Amino acid sequence: MKKIALFPGSFDPLTAGHVDLIERGAPLFDELIIGVFVNTSKVNFFTGGEKVELITEALAHVPNVRVVAQETELTVTAAKKMGAQFLLRGIRSVKDYEYERDIMEMNHHLDPTLETVFLLANAKYSYISSSMLKEILHFGGDVKAYLPPNIYQAIVKKRDAHES
Ligand code: ADP
């Protein structure tokens, strides 16, 4: 049976930390699907469509990855529809661990057949979050090193268009 994993997230924006996790996670499965979820509790930098396009471009070098927009439905429901038997998530810190463990337990309750696979964040990126980068970008700080080049360019373009 084909091993399929779903990596769900809001990826607003996709960071170098996410890319690192995806590059390390993809070889573990036959297919890794990046599910771009709409997180209603967060302010979105890009629309769902923009994110799918930009993330697909940023991950073009990873052969077995596919990026899909996620409807507002449960992760376990989306995984089932995609034929995924695994969820992939990252852990940056003890704080992430506690949050991720609760999500894992709840997902396990909702669908016991779905296994969550965790990778520890690369130490180089373990302190980065999309929300922190957004905050710094908002105040004009330089976060180029933490973003895939096409995503950085898209952000600058959006910021310039907004300012003019
Ligand atoms: P969500 O809003 O669903 O948490 P995120 O895009 O913030 O979506 O995160 C998706 C997943 O990526 C989470 O498992 C998170 O722990 C992981 N992640 C986020 N930033 C990093 C990073 N810098 N390095 C490794 N994993 C990360």
Side-chain angles (χ1 to χ4, degrees), residues 102-114:
D102 292 352
I103 298 178
M104 182 207 78
E105 292 294 355
M106 186 48 80
N107 283 337
H108 190 74
H109 162 77
L110 296 169
D111 182 353
T113 66
L114 198 60

Side-chain angles (χ1 to χ4, degrees), residues 12-75:
D12 193 57
L14 179 86
T15 69
H18 292 128
V19 174
D20 181 81
L21 202 87
I22 292 163
E23 286 171 347
R24 290 162 53 215
L28 305 176
F29 308 101
D30 294 309
E31 186 177 24
L32 176 61
I33 303 170
I34 315 300
V36 181
F37 276 74
V38 176
N39 190 329
T40 46
S41 66
K42 292 186 183 174
V43 181
N44 284 305
F45 204 84
F46 291 116
T47 66
E50 284 171 333
K51 279 196 261 188
V52 170
E53 206 174 298
L54 289 166
I55 296 171
T56 303
E57 202 185 343
L59 298 175
H61 63 289
V62 193
N64 59 332
V65 159
R66 181 158 68 89
V67 185
V68 299
Q70 216 41 72
E71 302 306 321
T72 42
E73 64 186 355
L74 287 173
T75 303

Side-chain angles (χ1 to χ4, degrees), residues 7-13 15-18 20-21 24 37 39 42 88-92 96 99-100 103 118-122 125-131:
F7 182 22
S10 24
F11 308 112
D12 193 57
T15 69
H18 292 128
D20 181 81
L21 202 87
R24 290 162 53 215
F37 276 74
N39 190 329
K42 292 186 183 174
L88 176 69
R89 294 286 287 181
I91 294 184
R92 286 165 290 188
D96 259 6
Y99 173 72
E100 294 289 342
I103 298 178
F118 294 106
L119 287 180
L120 287 186
N122 185 325
Y125 303 122
S126 62
Y127 55 93
I128 314 172
S129 66
S130 299
S131 4

